[in-house]
Amino acid sequence: MTQKKTVLITGAGSGIGRALTMEAARLGHVPLITGRNRHKLEDTATLAGLPESAILPADVTLAEDRARLVVQVGGRLDILINNAGCLTVGRLTDLGDAQLQAMTDTNLMAPIALTRDLLPALRAGQGRVANIGSVFGDIAYPYFAAYSATKFGLRGFSDAL
């Protein structure tokens, strides 16, 4: 039997984050799910059979939202899964500053900052951090230059941890 673990999952409103939430719940863990869209989080919570209290709407790129998550998580966290991501593809010359900033903030800065902010709770729980990368963090590919750069950075951060 597995010991129940508290798991904070970012980007849990869809895709990989939703699948991770479903698996954590299936294993008997206590998922806390976060993302920008409350309705998508509610859908995930319903599918996973989670209570309303598991839903923590937040934009992890914002310092005030991360600070609120730290308070909501409390003094102990077993697993942090940095899954939230942003992808814009195309020629680098066609990507605007806002698109570049959004990818950098979501894919690189937010996981670093959230991990930093949750370190006391992770230490208390002898916790683990899982950063969800991409194959584009291992290879560079045309039209994915900026995205690859953020995922290469995330891989470097993960290795450094």
Side-chain angles (χ1 to χ4, degrees):
M1 183 169 120
T2 26
Q3 180 185 5
K4 279 190 176 193
K5 296 185 182 299
T6 301
V7 184
L8 178 63
I9 304 167
T10 70
S14 63
I16 293 170
R18 180 171 284 171
L20 289 166
T21 301
M22 302 291 289
E23 184 64 8
R26 187 189 71 74
L27 291 171
H29 298 314
V30 181
L32 300 175
I33 59 174
T34 190
R36 292 177 296 193
N37 186 311
R38 178 180 253 298
H39 297 298
K40 288 182 177 183
L41 292 172
E42 289 170 348
D43 290 345
T44 297
T46 299
L47 288 169
L50 303 179
E52 175 74 20
S53 60
I55 301 170
L56 310 175
D59 181 341
V60 292
T61 68
L62 302 175
E64 59 271 17
D65 282 15
R66 289 191 310 272
R68 192 174 67 251
L69 283 173
V70 169
V71 170
Q72 291 170 317
V73 164
R76 185 178 184 279
L77 181 62
D78 298 297
I79 303 169
L80 167 61
I81 302 177
N82 286 310
N83 170 68
C86 177
L87 169 64
T88 304
V89 298
R91 293 176 185 214
L92 188 57
T93 55
D94 295 337
L95 300 180
D97 287 356
Q99 293 166 309
L100 297 174
Q101 190 70 56
M103 278 192 287
T104 303
D105 287 351
T106 306
N107 299 346
L108 184 58
M109 193 282 299
I112 293 170
L114 186 59
T115 301
R116 175 203 61 206
D117 296 346
L118 287 168
L119 274 177
L122 287 161
R123 283 186 179 127
Q126 296 181 333
R128 301 284 186 251
V129 177
N131 294 318
I132 304 302
S134 167
V135 69
F136 292 110
D138 292 328
I139 62 168
Y141 197 76
Y143 300 101
F144 287 80
Y147 179 74
S148 287
T150 66
K151 292 300 185 172
F152 268 80
L154 185 62
R155 188 183 71 190
F157 172 64
S158 300
D159 289 349
L161 282 179

